[in-house]
Amino acid sequence: MTNENVILRLTDVVKTFPGVVALGGVELEVRAGEVHCLLGQNGAGKSTLIKVLSGVHKPDSGTVQWLGEEVAFANPQAAMKAGIATIYQELDLVEDMSVAENVYLGHEPRSLGFVNRSLMARNTSGILAQLGHAEVVPTRLVRVLSSAGKQLVSMARALSHQAKLIIMDEPSAVLAHDEVENLFRIIRELTAQGIAVVYISHRLEEIREIGDRVTVLKDGRTSAVNLPARTTPTRDLVSRMTGRTIEYVFPPRGDAQPGDKLLEVKGLNRSGEFHDVSLSVHSGEIVGIAGLVGSGRSELLETIFGARRADSGTVTMNGTQLRPGSVGASVKAGLGLAPEERKSQALMLGEPVYRNMTLSTFADLASAGFTSTEKEQAAALGAAKQLDLKPLDVRRSAGTLSGGNQQKVVVGRWLLGGTKLLILDEPTRGVDVGARAELYQVIRGLTEQGVGVLLVSSEVPEVLGLADRVLVMREGRVIRHTAAGELTEEDVLDLVMAGSLETAGEEAA
Amino acid sequence: MTTTTTPQTQQPAATPRVSFWRDEAKEPWRRNLALIGVLILLFIIGAVIRPELYGDPKWVFDNMMVILQQASAIGVVTVGMTFIIIGGGIDLSVGALIALAGVWCTTVATQSFGSAGMIFTAVAVGVGAGLVNGVLIAYGRLVPFIATLAMLVAARGLAARISGKQTQVSTDQFINSIASTRPFGIPMLALILVAVAALGWVLLNRTTFGRRTVAIGGNAEAARLAGINVRRHTMLLYALSGLCCGIAAIMLTSLATSSQAAAAELYELDAIAAAIIGGTLLTGGRGTIVGSMIGVVIFATITNLFAITNTPTEAQNMVKGGIIVLAVLIQQLKFKSVKQMLIRT
């Protein structure tokens, strides 16, 4: 069992983006007919690796051998033609086209220049039967299918290209529990036909059940290759993913006891997003929420802030209950949100920094409805100095700043408004390592002024290092609530990655 | 890793002086200069074709006043349209609203209330219809294009119904005299446009209302998450556009001393085109009143040029369409990148 059935081999693949080494030497070996699992934390380089395999990115150095030959795919179409298909989490289907049209999108069977619809439908039926789902009608609109059905269409599309390798990026994330079993059955059908699957998931239970071998990524490097999926102990897998080589520099926690209770959330529910969440944040305290993408964290924050309306439950600030679904009321009560998507949700990139900073306060700085540029620039400059904004020029347009400094602008916006409770959703996403340390200082510094902070991050060490108290969320529920010092990174990963199939039910009870 | 970075390392706020031609903040100024260049070019073209007319300074001045007179009602509507487009919307109903307001304020019943009654009616009808647009778009979640298109059809229909498709003559001496008054030799209507534009400029650049407009057009989600009441403001924007239509209706009624349901046809297109030529971004978030006003004057000047050279209307419209396409193409090419290329060579 050495070389003869290896279809894909990556050797020392490096991919850098300006300022970031996304992949710093990755090995990967995939055999025909196996399910090869890719494991790694957020930011470990999984997405970049997928994009290298599927021809979206070209590696800077290293070799990609496909079917024994060294290749460099010029674009995704080239990879597809060579037989590598990728099924992304966000399925790239056209909702208002039929199943068959989606399967053959871009390579429709033709006769005399016209699309041969009956042949297309027949072929699609054949592929669907091959996947064990002959009951799906090729002429149905994709829009009416469930998530599982849409995934099936994506896979059928891969097969229509005669794919020999299918990359699946967290395919179970969008599926209900019983649908996951079905997905596994399809994967087994595929591998039985000699097709290899690269399977990416955070759920260890799934890897145990479906995987053959595991490759672990950490900080853009492979920290373990070709571990047996069923027998490698969980501790081993988790320890390969953790223990950063990147240093996180967290400011020391103050000795001061947290002050009065600022925010109290009781029994907050939003159907399909999170269930029965209760939490509190005191003045001068950082409360961190750890959890995977899709665990309902961002939705929870937006609901607390009033940007979404809760189905039930209350949010109380300083003893006053907030009007549900009203951002205005929340801002008046002293809440501020630095949202997850900085560019699309927080900034006007073409506008100068000071106008971005005063977006929630320009009316207060105005007199009789007339805005004051001088006052606004002065206020913004004060906040910019406090946050050590670089460059220290509030008239520059926000789009020209680095990610870390853009985040400072958003934080500065709430500083100006005298915000008492700051909600930070992924504050260091897209921020380079040096600037992160600065942001941590800024956040800690705010608490010394009595601000309470509610923080969400996909990076577990960030939550543990920065927060005073930690909530662990999984699938819309808070499953652990403790002081930050009492949890290790491994503990948290164990909690959030524990198989969803068995344990989700008992917590609901 | 115990070293903490000292905040002393920051540089003083040394902003290097950027030349006028490269500074991004000066982009509107550069565009307006270019537009004025176009105006001068149009003047020269006129002078070449009809040198005997352009040789007479009195004729030139009178002709400029004619252009301003013709541009005035469209200009007032364009002020409102500029706000709407900067705020990320579009208003296709302005021409129809002018007709409706004009017809409503010249019915026999309304005229019996005198000049004040007529002005109040025109403004109230404009604002009221604008509010309907605003409510549909902001709270009913209708796409602005659809909501105002429906209003266009409905308002024209209502105007035809009210007027019985007849031209309604205004018998009000005051209203009729507005258009013929010329303080300091300048038509009153042009002065009204200048006043409205000046107010619009202040509103856009110096007030919280203007700031909200730019913020919502630039990034509506960011504005919402910053605590701005996006829906209420969107509604008010359409009411503002309606208000401009009401004012324009009075101006047109005065100019023609009558109103009819077919008045102000295609004004929406002229107003949108003027705003775009003036540099208003169709996707919202950026635009200037000054630019829009120059856009209006350019359009009026072209029309005037056609009149002087006796060009048939069909050709006029074809040229206008070409100009709109050209303006948007230039906007997409981003002016400044072209400029940078020129600087480099």
Side-chain angles (χ1 to χ4, degrees), chain B residues 157-181:
Chain B
L158 184 56
R161 168 112 196 161
I162 289 172
S163 63
K165 297 186 187 169
Q166 300 297 308
T167 299
Q168 294 180 172
V169 176
S170 162
T171 54
D172 190 277
Q173 288 306 315
F174 174 72
I175 297 280
N176 293 350
S177 70
I178 297 174
S180 47
T181 316

Side-chain angles (χ1 to χ4, degrees), chain B residues 23 57 59 65 74 85 96 105 111 120 140 176 181 200 214 247 254 285:
Chain B
D23 189 353
W59 181 88
M65 292 308 117
I74 264 288
I85 299 179
C105 79
Q111 290 201 39
F120 174 82
N176 293 350
T181 316
V214 176
I247 296 170
S254 170

Side-chain angles (χ1 to χ4, degrees), chain A residues 351-386:
Chain A
E351 290 284 298
V353 165
Y354 81 89
R355 287 194 173 196
N356 274 285
M357 276 201 180
T358 57
L359 186 60
S360 62
T361 43
F362 66 81
D364 305 326
L365 294 167
S367 34
F370 287 90
T371 52
S372 162
T373 306
E374 296 78 37
K375 274 195 211 166
E376 285 185 38
Q377 290 193 353
L381 193 62
K385 278 182 182 153
Q386 190 187 339

Side-chain angles (χ1 to χ4, degrees), chain B residues 126-214:
Chain B
V127 172
L131 272 174
V132 171
N133 276 336
V135 169
L136 287 176
I137 291 160
Y139 296 95
R141 303 281 180 111
L142 256 68
V143 182
F145 186 90
I146 298 299
T148 57
L149 185 65
M151 178 59 81
L152 182 162
V153 178
R156 287 262 179 222
L158 184 56
R161 168 112 196 161
I162 289 172
S163 63
K165 297 186 187 169
Q166 300 297 308
T167 299
Q168 294 180 172
V169 176
S170 162
T171 54
D172 190 277
Q173 288 306 315
F174 174 72
I175 297 280
N176 293 350
S177 70
I178 297 174
S180 47
T181 316
R182 290 189 165 225
F184 318 110
I186 300 168
M188 191 64 179
L189 293 185
L191 292 178
I192 293 176
L193 169 61
V194 170
V196 170
L199 283 175
W201 187 90
V202 171
L203 189 64
L204 182 63
N205 297 298
R206 292 284 183 268
T207 68
T208 54
F209 184 91
R211 182 67 63 80
R212 284 191 195 103
T213 308
V214 176

Side-chain angles (χ1 to χ4, degrees), chain B residues 14-96:
Chain B
T15 328
R17 275 191 63 83
V18 191
S19 98
F20 176 81
W21 298 107
R22 291 183 183 219
D23 189 353
E24 212 199 322
K26 297 285 192 304
E27 208 272 332
W29 287 90
R30 290 197 295 270
R31 174 183 281 272
N32 290 347
L33 270 182
L35 290 175
I36 289 171
V38 170
L39 269 180
I40 293 170
L41 191 69
L42 289 173
F43 185 87
I44 293 171
I45 292 172
V48 168
I49 298 176
R50 300 291 299 269
E52 75 282 7
L53 288 179
Y54 281 81
D56 176 7
K58 181 164 185 322
W59 181 88
V60 170
F61 178 81
D62 286 346
N63 188 46
M64 280 166 91
M65 292 308 117
V66 169
I67 292 173
L68 284 180
Q69 178 102 323
Q70 281 169 346
S72 55
I74 264 288
V76 168
V77 174
T78 305
V79 171
M81 187 66 82
T82 304
F83 272 87
I84 296 259
I85 299 179
I86 291 177
I90 197 87
D91 188 349
L92 300 180
S93 66
V94 289

Side-chain angles (χ1 to χ4, degrees), chain B residues 96-121:
Chain B
L97 293 194
I98 292 174
L100 179 62
V103 165
W104 206 316
C105 79
T106 49
T107 58
V108 178
T110 313
Q111 290 201 39
S112 69
F113 288 98
S115 321
M118 289 172 71
I119 293 172
F120 174 82
T121 304

